[in-house]
Amino acid sequence: MPEHQQNLFGEGFNEPEPWELAAEEDRWGAEVALNVPVDQLFSYLVPDPLRDKLHPGQRVKVPFGRGSRTMTGFCVRVGPVGKVTRKLKEVAEVIDREPLIDQQMLDLTEWIGKRYLCGWGQVLESVIPAGVKKLAGTREVKLYQVAEGVDENDSRLTKKQAGVVTALLYADRPLRGDELADAANCGTSPIKTLEKKGILVTHNERQSKFEAEIGHVEKEQDLKLHFEQMKALKRILHSVRGGEHETILLHGVTGSGKTEVYIQAIREVVSYGRQAIVLVPEISLTPQTIRRFRSRFDSVAVLHSHLTDSERHYHWKRIAGGDVQVIVGARSAIFAPAPRLGLVIIDEEHETSFKQETTPRYHAREVARKRCQMLRVPLILGTATPTLESWRRVEEKQDVLLSMPNRVNGLPLPPVSIIDTRQDQDIRRGAAIGRQLVNGMKMALKDGGQVILFLNLRGFSTTIWCRACGESVKCSECDISLTWHRDRRKALCHSCGFETDPPEACPHCQHPGLKYVGIGTQKLEQEVNARFPGVPCVRMDSDSMRQHGSHDRALEAFRHGKTKILLGTQMIAKGLDFPNVTLVGVIDADTTLRQPDWRASERTFHLLAQVAGRTGRSERGGRVYIQTACPEEPPIVKAAHHDFLGFAEIELEHREEMGYPPYSCLSRIIFRGEIDEEVQAGAKEIATVLRETIKETGADIEIRGPAPAPIVKLKKFYRHHLQIVADDFETLRELWLVARDIFPTLSNVDYQIDVDAINLR
Ligand code: ADP
Ligand code: ZN
């Protein structure tokens, strides 16, 4: 009996509700994780007819609460009950014929529930794709086999029937009726007769109707590595062969050839018949990235957010069957059910999209770390601009640091000029592009180069503003200024999607004639077209790239030089590799810096360093102009010097002083409700309970707030938050487990804890 089936219902025994006592012996029981926000499992008896059908990882229907109400949950353990002193309810139904996930993934999801303070059932519900639960894209087929002990010489067989048996014995697997009829060159009637006589036996199985179409990709040889790449690869292979977990931070400047190192590390893992997962930010899942892996490996699965349920299920099955060598995908691909995972790589480790912003609010980097620890395989974090969390870990020697400080082919990082927008006449008059940048663009274009312009605000005018009262027009549901989208002639809320005709007069003071201010990408595009007539320009942001595939087409056109200027939001900031780009202009470096968030500085540095990395990628060289009104701010100055170490030093000192991560574990509770006063009062009550618990337990934890969240109103809901700053996660967890049991019930207010919060809005 596997270990996890023993000692069931010992400690931690739970029941759905108090129940009369009775002795139960020699019965089979199951523990079920329900989709509820508690750190608790529920115990049920398994009726005898279901005993062989139920395994951990399958969903069950169970009675829950009063009356005949049932709930669906995941069976996470089954086994003999032994002596139980309480009477239990019974599992009503087993939903899945086979487990949806294996024991290893059960352990991982259990850990996520504990680490992010949510229910195990909530985690399971979220990480197993809907298409897998629904068996999307499959059909039930009946398969034929020859009964035991029968061969083609059996005296009961006619000649035709003997042909059927022979065909089936020669096939190396059970066959469908139509396949069998084909193979035996007969009709269906001999098959039916044989089935009736018990000479053929049948069983049902689910088969995919779906075959993923993968266009032919020309195979390519691995590149000969440069010295720095070789050194990094050697160290990674040492770890791969070592059979112990290590997290390796591969700090390589943009263009240092990190991907080639990943590929050759995967090559080794694949040669053992094991699999690798490569996580990249969703926006980096471009055809270029995918082609790089498909051209090197025979079997690559790509998991992106546009997959249909059927496609997702198909890939999941193939991965679980061990047929896929490399899985490339965004955040949730960390849950790919690879049976013999040998390596996980997270590219662009600093990207905030690796944190999930709904329950379970996990960080893929931490989940990957845990999964790799459990499997004793390495985790590689690759980036030019590490997070300060990862940087601190290597400083403390918890993780291994590998550096690639030079670009391949020895090309230098591009020179960066900081332009003070307060001194620029054109910008003061309302232009987006200052004199220096315009001149730079003219020169670059004249020399046959291409230009990238980066502006992290979409729409036309970012604010509709009343000069009489100074108020801006806000979304009626959210506390957010509406953005004017001239192409659609609508004012849009970028938070909830609300759209409206712009008002004629100020909604606050009725003063007529509102002013449209602030520059978004659409206005920038208009300015570029006006100042560079006849130069083909393409805008990339989530408005212009709505259609599936338009993103890829725009990039292809730019790659082939059909468009000369590419402008857009952070969609174009990262990962792109275009040798002919000789100028990058940052229109307004201060958009991220202005965010009311202690991570604003780090985010600004990351973004600028990444944008700057888009040029100087060939012998043609390249340069970068950063327009800012704060030319002395450290993240801007350090990014301009490509000086991550310098930035990390300044910022870590600041974080330590302020008690922010990585020197603490900072979590956040977000309260939400339709009536502001109720939300505020609820937040206060919970804060009081937390503070009193801290006083009683003497824990070293600080509660900040409650305070209105930076976005006070979002989609009708008022929002308040409080921050919990603890030395480490364990301290926080202890507080949470004690305090949660005595939290008052709040009516009309819901709240969630976000452990290691990244988004503080
Ligand atoms: P990074 O991910 O570090 O920014 P990339 O992996 O995109 O860098 O590599 C930059 C460019 O250098 C790519 O075009 C890649 O094909 C090329 N490259 C990488 N390694 C080598 C090598 N050993 N020899 C030649 N070209 C290489
Ligand atoms: Zn809104």
Side-chain angles (χ1 to χ4, degrees):
M1 187 183 291
E3 198 181 27
H4 67 266
Q5 289 190 355
Q6 287 169 6
N7 298 326
L8 195 64
F9 307 138
E11 260 186 318
F13 172 83
N14 288 302
E15 53 186 346
E17 63 184 40
W19 205 254
E20 71 195 67
L21 299 180
E24 292 282 349
E25 285 197 47
D26 188 31
R27 300 263 345 239
W28 209 249
E31 283 193 300
V32 176
L34 293 171
N35 186 7
V36 288
V38 294
D39 183 9
Q40 185 185 340
L41 297 175
F42 298 93
S43 306
Y44 292 90
L45 289 173
V46 181
D48 285 339
L50 297 184
R51 199 154 153 163
D52 294 336
K53 293 192 178 139
L54 184 57
H55 310 278
Q58 282 165 309
R59 284 171 308 157
V60 287
K61 275 213 174 103
V62 291
F64 191 79
R66 279 168 213 295
S68 56
R69 198 177 146 219
T70 61
M71 263 181 98
T72 298
F74 282 85
C75 166
V76 295
R77 277 179 209 117
V78 285
V81 166
K83 273 213 174 81
V84 174
T85 50
R86 281 169 280 193
K87 181 157 181 180
L88 296 174
K89 292 186 181 180
E90 290 191 336
V91 169
E93 189 186 328
V94 177
I95 298 175
D96 306 304
R97 188 182 290 166
E98 290 168 23
L100 299 178
I101 56 170
D102 63 10
Q103 188 58 42
Q104 180 210 119
M105 290 302 286
L106 281 169
D107 294 343
L108 185 68
T109 48
E110 180 178 20
W111 176 84
I112 292 171
K114 293 197 183 332
R115 178 66 178 73
Y116 292 96
L117 304 177
C118 61
W120 187 357
Q122 290 181 298
V123 182
L124 287 164
E125 191 53 43
S126 150
V127 307
I128 300 175
V132 172
K133 291 180 207 142
K134 282 192 280 194
L135 303 175
T138 62
R139 62 178 166 184
E140 186 94 10
V141 294
K142 183 164 157 183
L143 294 174
Y144 290 88
Q145 271 172 295
V146 178
E148 198 126 353
V150 178
D151 65 24
E152 68 270 29
N153 302 318
D154 196 295
S155 59
R156 291 172 292 174
L157 299 176
T158 66
K159 199 163 163 238
K160 228 184 193 133
Q161 292 170 346
V164 173
V165 171
T166 309
L168 202 45
L169 287 171
Y170 273 102
D172 56 356
R173 59 179 172 90
L175 295 180
R176 290 196 310 263
D178 59 321
E179 291 174 322
L180 180 54
D182 251 8
N185 199 10
C186 67
T188 50
S189 71
I191 299 175
K192 288 218 170 101
T193 316
L194 287 171
E195 186 185 349
K196 247 184 241 149
K197 287 186 179 168
I199 292 173
L200 296 188
V201 292
T202 66
H203 69 277
N204 285 358
E205 206 177 283
R206 283 236 155 224
Q207 287 188 348
S208 182
K209 289 186 287 195
F210 182 83
E211 283 294 325
E213 285 244 2
I214 296 169
H216 178 71
V217 181
E218 211 58 58
K219 288 282 173 279
E220 282 168 22
Q221 293 286 313
D222 288 351
L223 299 176
K224 192 168 173 303
L225 295 184
H226 291 291
F227 177 70
E228 282 181 359
Q229 290 174 309
M230 185 56 94
K231 239 175 74 183
L233 178 67
K234 269 199 176 146
R235 181 62 186 80
I236 292 168
L237 293 184
H238 170 78
S239 185
V240 167
R241 292 165 190 160
E244 284 303 326
H245 166 74
E246 275 182 323
T247 297
I248 297 173
L249 179 65
L250 180 59
H251 178 213
V253 296
T254 53
S256 57
K258 294 185 285 293
T259 309
E260 194 61 32
V261 175
Y262 304 153
I263 286 173
Q264 300 198 18
I266 297 171
R267 174 87 50 229
E268 166 112 354
V269 171
V270 165
S271 76
Y272 310 148
R274 305 186 81 169
Q275 301 94 34
I277 295 178
V278 183
L279 296 189
V280 302
E282 177 85 31
I283 47 171
S284 306
L285 273 174
T286 58
Q288 189 190 3
T289 310
I290 295 165
R291 206 178 307 120
R292 269 171 110 173
F293 287 94
R294 288 231 161 103
S295 68
R296 304 294 186 83
F297 297 97
D298 293 329
S299 173
V300 177
V302 179
L303 304 178
H304 56 76
S305 62
H306 296 293
L307 293 179
T308 63
D309 279 352
S310 308
E311 286 171 314
R312 205 171 283 281
H313 183 222
Y314 169 80
H315 286 304
W316 180 277
K317 278 290 193 205
R318 262 182 72 223
I319 293 167
D323 297 336
V324 174
Q325 297 168 318
V326 189
I327 299 120
V328 184
R331 180 178 64 225
S332 63
I334 191 54
F335 300 108
R340 291 179 307 280
L341 187 61
L343 178 65
V344 177
I345 293 162
I346 303 185
D347 192 30
E348 313 286 4
E349 174 264 338
H350 58 277
E351 277 288 313
T352 50
S353 64
F354 288 123
K355 176 88 157 66
Q356 173 146 305
E357 294 295 350
T358 53
T359 307
R361 294 169 173 261
Y362 67 87
H363 198 301
R365 182 185 57 223
E366 300 315 311
V367 175
R369 198 194 306 276
K370 185 67 191 176
R371 191 167 177 191
C372 290
Q373 277 168 358
M374 288 161 67
L375 295 168
R376 301 184 171 194
V377 301
L379 166 66
I380 302 176
L381 308 176
T383 176
T385 54
T387 54
L388 294 172
E389 282 81 359
S390 296
W391 192 250
R392 173 108 196 282
R393 286 181 65 95
V394 303
E395 282 194 337
E396 299 208 308
K397 305 265 185 296
Q398 287 174 285
D399 295 347
V400 177
L401 174 66
L402 301 177
S403 297
M404 300 202 296
N406 298 296
R407 288 186 152 179
V408 288
N409 307 332
L411 293 170
L413 287 162
V416 180
S417 315
I418 299 177
I419 299 167
D420 187 344
T421 49
R422 295 167 305 182
Q423 311 291 336
D424 189 293
Q425 295 304 322
D426 289 355
I427 291 180
R428 288 174 64 173
R429 269 188 232 114
I433 312 173
R435 283 229 175 117
Q436 258 177 292
L437 182 52
V438 166
N439 289 338
M441 289 172 71
K442 281 186 184 150
M443 285 212 321
L445 293 169
K446 201 174 111 224
D447 291 344
Q450 286 170 292
V451 175
I452 289 182
L453 295 180
F454 172 74
L455 175 62
N456 211 13
L457 298 169
R458 62 192 182 90
F460 193 85
S461 306
T462 53
T463 313
I464 305 173
W465 180 71
C466 171
R467 74 180 92 192
C469 73
E471 292 279 344
S472 63
V473 178
K474 291 191 170 170
C475 171
S476 59
E477 312 274 289
C478 311
D479 180 44
I480 288 175
S481 290
L482 295 180
T483 298
W484 170 234
H485 283 242
R486 204 171 68 159
D487 51 349
R488 294 155 71 180
R489 312 216 64 78
K490 293 279 183 211
L492 252 70
C493 169
H494 284 179
S495 248
C496 73
F498 167 81
E499 60 173 67
T500 178
D501 293 326
E504 306 262 315
C506 173
H508 306 277
C509 73
Q510 320 313 325
H511 185 86
L514 291 163
K515 228 178 129 119
Y516 290 64
V517 297
I519 297 166
T521 44
Q522 292 178 9
K523 190 163 182 190
L524 176 63
E525 182 182 28
Q526 186 189 45
E527 185 175 327
V528 168
N529 287 334
R531 292 173 98 165
F532 296 91
V535 180
C537 162
V538 66
R539 171 171 62 96
M540 275 184 68
D541 53 33
S542 50
D543 298 307
S544 70
M545 297 295 132
R546 238 160 241 269
Q547 248 182 349
H548 185 46
S550 52
H551 184 263
D552 307 336
R553 280 193 296 278
L555 290 180
E556 276 314 285
F558 191 63
R559 173 181 317 285
H560 292 121
K562 289 194 193 104
T563 42
K564 297 291 176 197
I565 302 174
L566 174 64
L567 69 89
T569 53
Q570 54 189 348
M571 218 177 231
I572 62 168
K574 326 224 165 121
L576 304 181
D577 182 18
F578 299 119
N580 199 37
V581 172
T582 53
L583 180 83
V584 166
V586 177
I587 300 300
D588 182 0
D590 313 339
T591 51
T592 43
L593 207 53
R594 281 194 293 262
Q595 288 168 357
D597 178 340
W598 52 271
R599 272 201 176 88
S601 209
E602 183 177 13
R603 224 167 266 155
T604 304
F605 178 84
H606 285 163
L607 207 50
L608 294 180
Q610 291 293 333
V611 178
R614 297 312 114 218
T615 185
R617 293 187 152 240
S618 75
E619 305 294 338
R620 304 189 61 131
R623 51 179 317 124
V624 181
Y625 289 103
I626 297 179
Q627 299 190 148
T628 172
C630 330
E632 271 104 45
E633 281 290 323
I636 294 177
V637 176
K638 293 298 173 188
H641 288 98
H642 308 290
D643 182 11
F644 171 74
L645 296 184
F647 172 72
E649 197 180 321
I650 294 175
E651 185 61 17
L652 280 173
E653 204 181 297
H654 174 68
R655 297 273 185 94
E656 189 167 18
E657 237 166 65
M658 305 296 294
Y660 286 131
Y663 296 94
S664 65
C665 165
L666 190 145
S667 305
R668 176 189 189 221
I669 305 180
I670 310 133
F671 299 83
R672 236 174 41 134
E674 290 192 49
I675 299 167
D676 196 19
E677 291 73 31
E678 286 183 353
V679 184
Q680 219 172 320
K684 266 198 194 128
E685 280 187 61
I686 300 287
T688 307
V689 174
L690 286 170
R691 288 201 167 100
E692 277 167 7
T693 312
I694 290 169
K695 224 187 267 163
E696 273 166 35
T697 57
D700 190 9
I701 296 182
E702 189 192 336
I703 306 288
R704 298 180 186 169
I711 297 178
V712 151
K713 201 178 170 204
L714 193 63
K715 300 181 196 179
K716 264 193 189 155
F717 293 104
Y718 288 91
R719 304 164 79 242
H720 288 252
H721 68 172
L722 55 86
Q723 295 182 25
I724 310 176
V725 189
D727 277 354
D728 50 38
F729 171 70
E730 277 313 314
T731 318
L732 167 70
R733 179 174 159 79
E734 279 165 28
L735 167 70
W736 181 254
L737 293 183
V738 175
R740 198 198 47 198
D741 285 342
I742 47 176
F743 279 165
T745 321
L746 305 181
S747 45
N748 307 325
V749 178
D750 71 27
Y751 58 93
Q752 274 186 8
I753 185 161
D754 184 4
V755 177
D756 298 339
I758 284 189
N759 185 345
L760 296 181
R761 298 193 308 151

